[in-house]
Amino acid sequence: AEARREPNVRDGASAALAWLERPGQHLLMWDAPEYPALLAEIPDPPPLLFVAGDLAILERPQLGMVGSRRASRPGLDTAAAFARSLAGAGFVITSGLALGIDAAAHQGALDVGGATVGVLGTGLEKLYPQRNRQLAARMAAEGSAVVSEFPLDAGPVASNFPRRNRII
């Protein structure tokens, strides 16, 4: 009861409700029918998932692609080529929207009109790295999705990034 009286809790809840009113914004509880079935089977599934974009792709066959943030040009080109090929064959490319290989994989999928899911280690309103903000917006706008288990305003905390990897 005391938590409900806290201004930051009330403000956070109000901001989340306003976020949910925008088109393409979703909040899934672990027992919702739209919650990804395979994600629900991991030992520690997130109780909530914030999703910007198309919920339907969360149930499609996915392949995770992750790699170095400081990848070489040939590494980036190879990641993009793999993503283009796999997305063109109907797989959803899932990665962490980080710099380097992750961004190249997302971009490669989008380049062929494929679908991609970005899993954040921050809240959706505090996307990190900021350099990938336009990529995330394009993903949500073009039938893909960006997801996070963290509150919308959660900033980058080092321990959250390995945690998000279990979702990828």
Side-chain angles (χ1 to χ4, degrees):
E2 286 183 31
R4 290 189 300 183
R5 289 190 270 274
E6 290 289 325
N8 59 339
V9 171
R10 280 197 324 267
D11 293 347
S14 293
L17 290 171
W19 181 84
L20 284 168
E21 290 177 5
R22 297 188 339 227
Q25 313 288 44
H26 314 276
L27 178 60
L28 299 178
M29 293 179 37
W30 66 271
D31 61 349
E34 303 88 1
Y35 194 92
L38 290 176
L39 184 58
E41 292 181 16
I42 69 172
D44 183 21
L48 297 173
L49 273 183
F50 291 89
V51 181
D54 184 2
L55 286 178
I57 69 166
L58 300 179
E59 286 296 339
R60 288 184 38 202
Q62 299 179 38
L63 290 170
M65 290 184 66
V66 295
S68 175
R69 288 183 165 96
R70 294 187 183 126
S72 65
R73 173 51 46 199
L76 294 171
D77 292 344
T78 300
F82 269 113
R84 283 192 298 272
S85 178
L86 293 165
F91 288 100
V92 175
I93 303 303
T94 301
S95 197
L97 248 171
L99 298 176
I101 297 297
D102 293 21
H106 293 303
Q107 187 66 54
L110 292 173
D111 286 347
V112 296
T116 184
V117 174
V119 183
L120 301 182
T122 63
L124 293 181
E125 295 291 296
K126 295 286 184 176
L127 189 128
Y128 179 84
Q130 283 289 306
R131 195 178 325 171
N132 285 343
R133 187 175 266 316
Q134 287 183 330
L135 177 58
R138 182 176 171 209
M139 290 166 63
E142 293 183 12
S144 290
V146 180
V147 304
S148 178
E149 69 178 304
F150 300 106
L152 293 171
D153 63 350
V157 176
S159 62
N160 288 353
F161 293 93
R163 182 167 175 77
R164 67 106 193 261
N165 290 343
R166 79 190 198 293
I167 298 173
I168 296 172

